[in-house]
Amino acid sequence: MNIYYGTDGKGAYVKYRGQQGVIPLKLKSQTVQDKTSKLKVTYVWDEVIEGKVTGTYKLSQQANQISAASYWRNKDGKLFKLEQVKNQDDYAGKVSYLLHGVLLSFSQGMDEQLTFDYPDQITKKAHLPGFDSPDPQRKGSIDDYNFDGYDDVAFSIPDAGMGVYRTFTIYLYNPMSKRFELLAEPNDDRAKCSGFCDVTLDQKNKLLLTSCRGGANWWNNVYKYTASNHLTWISSKKAEN
């Protein structure tokens, strides 16, 4: 079996070897412990089959390594300890999330293909930006990038220059169409940097923030969504040293 999960344990699911279907996991808790400066993160997920909780998975991760994992089966109260089996051929840099019932698959390496497998059996493919870096690594992140209450997904890669920041490609989930849609960069000449660079979110004020190097200076750009969910430029200013 394989356990897949993304940012803060979101987008998690289980797939058993030899079976086509997947089992959604609903995040129940996330705890963080600091032991001698090595963070230990423990996730607990409810296994959900046909709308019913049938078991619980628990996984602990420290220094990017799985330190413990287990499964509690509800029907008989039996606890199974899980042991990680590393197989590089099976992994090969592939990452997958299950978000809003949609199975998203992409590669951390040079493969640029992004696949959306929707619950209605429709499959959509897209291409993520390629990159040139001595240590290429594409990262995925799950967050509510437009503050509408639905998690979205973003993919980031090192910038094409010195690799001092990361550029983001963001797909927003549309609850009406039940599809993921590419977030377009606002076309505003006043923004000091092009592209979504080092994206962070100001949840309190519902702002999308970017930071990058333009010329000899570092700049911070601020964006806000309109009532029609259109992203607009608000301001740009030099970053403080």
Side-chain angles (χ1 to χ4, degrees), residues 172-192:
L172 302 179
Y173 180 72
N174 186 330
M176 298 298 293
S177 65
K178 297 182 180 180
R179 294 291 190 263
F180 281 91
E181 300 170 357
L182 179 65
L183 175 63
E185 178 190 358
N187 185 16
D188 197 312
D189 293 336
R190 293 171 294 176
K192 296 300 182 181

Side-chain angles (χ1 to χ4, degrees), residues 12 16 34 43 50 61 88 91 110-111 118 124 137 157 169 175 183 211 222:
Y16 282 85
D34 188 351
Y43 302 105
E50 296 182 351
Q61 180 177 327
Q88 192 64 31
Y91 175 62
M110 301 301 288
D111 186 347
Y118 290 98
K124 296 289 186 180
Q137 186 180 50
I157 59 176
T169 301
L183 175 63
S211 176
V222 180

Side-chain angles (χ1 to χ4, degrees), residues 188-207:
D188 197 312
D189 293 336
R190 293 171 294 176
K192 296 300 182 181
C193 302
S194 62
F196 295 121
C197 307
D198 280 355
V199 173
T200 57
L201 301 174
D202 180 346
Q203 296 285 356
K204 180 180 179 181
N205 298 302
K206 296 185 178 180
L207 300 174

